[in-house]
Amino acid sequence: MKHFFTEGILNWNTFQNDRSMPWKKEKDPYRIWLSEIILQQTRVEQGRPYYERFISEYPTITDLAAAPDEAVFRLWQGLGYYARCKNMLAAARTVANDHAGIFPKDYTGIAALKGVGAYTAAAIASFAYNLPHAVLDGNVYRVLARFFGIDTPTDTTAGKKLFTQLAQDVLPEQQAGTYNQAIMDFGAVVCKPQQPLCKSCRLAPRCEAYQKGLTDLVPVKSKKLRIKKRYFYYLLPDNGSLRFVRKRTAKDIWQNLHEFPMIETPGPVTTAELLASPEFRQLMGKGKFTVTRESLEKKQQLTHQTIHARFLHISQAASMQPPEGFRAVPASELDQLAFPKIIVDFLKG
Ligand code: SF4
């Protein structure tokens, strides 16, 4: 059964896999690592131009390590999950400073880099050096769960252990890199989350889920993802050509990106309610403020939360000072700072 599975995946890869990706067959561990970091939580189509821009701007890991934080964050802008970018820079600097710019060549050394989890370490180790470490991502969980008919929830300790062992058992040690890429492609192209192509699948004769009509029921997850709604009201004090900005430092989304003065509320509020709130007074100080313009609501979907944002232009007779922690920046220089996507979209108009 395991042999049939492994051979099936390898044969499908040889004769039918035409999924193309710019980093496929890549052997340079820097490029593989970069593509894997970009693709964590990002679709291939979205990540591809970022990968190409990073490679062109920073051809080696030493170039990336030497780049100023702000320049790298700007290049990353739009990908979200900025902790990934921060970890990526930290890892590049570790390789540059502690490994003389040479990417680690063994699994333990790779896994020790910041932002590199078990999946990414296995991907780099197998793609770059053909080391026998099985990758386990959403695609692999799905293919294994369906073919072997496993209904143990994938997000439990028992499930993770079982799938990790099984993934390793079916890995052909001599062809680890090719097989790892093949099973992920197979999951993305054939054994897809919705409407898998079972009728033309070479694994179908022995696939438990297909034979028993369970393809919609496995893999199983024990918990449902809860999406939290957050309401952000950005204030743009009308102070000539100046905007007030600060870098987000709290342990929250968008750490290290910039923002305008902002009030977060537990639910949607009207403009009048916002202006009368103690949070507004605390941020903007005393005086009579008017809203001269306001945007429609903009939305940004993150993995665990939805951000609802509105942008309000605020005017006051007296010249306004930046709220505490903010600095005044000419509007013409905003494009030199990294902002979350929702603000970038607003600035683009
Ligand atoms: S038969 Fe269907 S469910 Fe089974 S491995 Fe093939 S595509 Fe996946």
Side-chain angles (χ1 to χ4, degrees), residues 22-40 51 55 59 61 88 103-104 110 116 119-130 135 177 181 184:
W23 44 80
K24 225 171 178 182
K25 300 220 167 87
E26 181 61 67
K27 293 284 168 213
D28 176 346
Y30 166 58
R31 291 182 172 219
I32 296 166
W33 165 75
L34 190 60
S35 68
E36 292 297 340
I37 299 296
I38 288 175
L39 287 189
Q40 286 169 0
Y51 169 77
I55 289 298
I61 198 160
M88 178 181 80
F103 211 92
I110 298 168
V116 174
Y119 161 78
T120 309
I124 300 169
S126 63
F127 298 160
Y129 309 118
N130 204 30
V135 291
Q181 185 64 63
M184 289 192 287

Side-chain angles (χ1 to χ4, degrees), residues 30-81:
Y30 166 58
R31 291 182 172 219
I32 296 166
W33 165 75
L34 190 60
S35 68
E36 292 297 340
I37 299 296
I38 288 175
L39 287 189
Q40 286 169 0
Q41 328 253 5
T42 301
R43 284 174 299 111
V44 171
E45 306 78 56
Q46 195 201 351
R48 188 189 298 245
Y50 282 88
Y51 169 77
E52 281 161 1
R53 282 201 287 275
F54 265 93
I55 289 298
S56 133
E57 195 79 20
Y58 307 117
T60 68
I61 198 160
T62 322
D63 297 323
L64 178 61
D69 289 16
E70 199 59 44
V72 177
F73 277 111
R74 278 199 61 76
L75 207 57
W76 187 271
Q77 196 165 268
L79 272 177
Y81 305 98

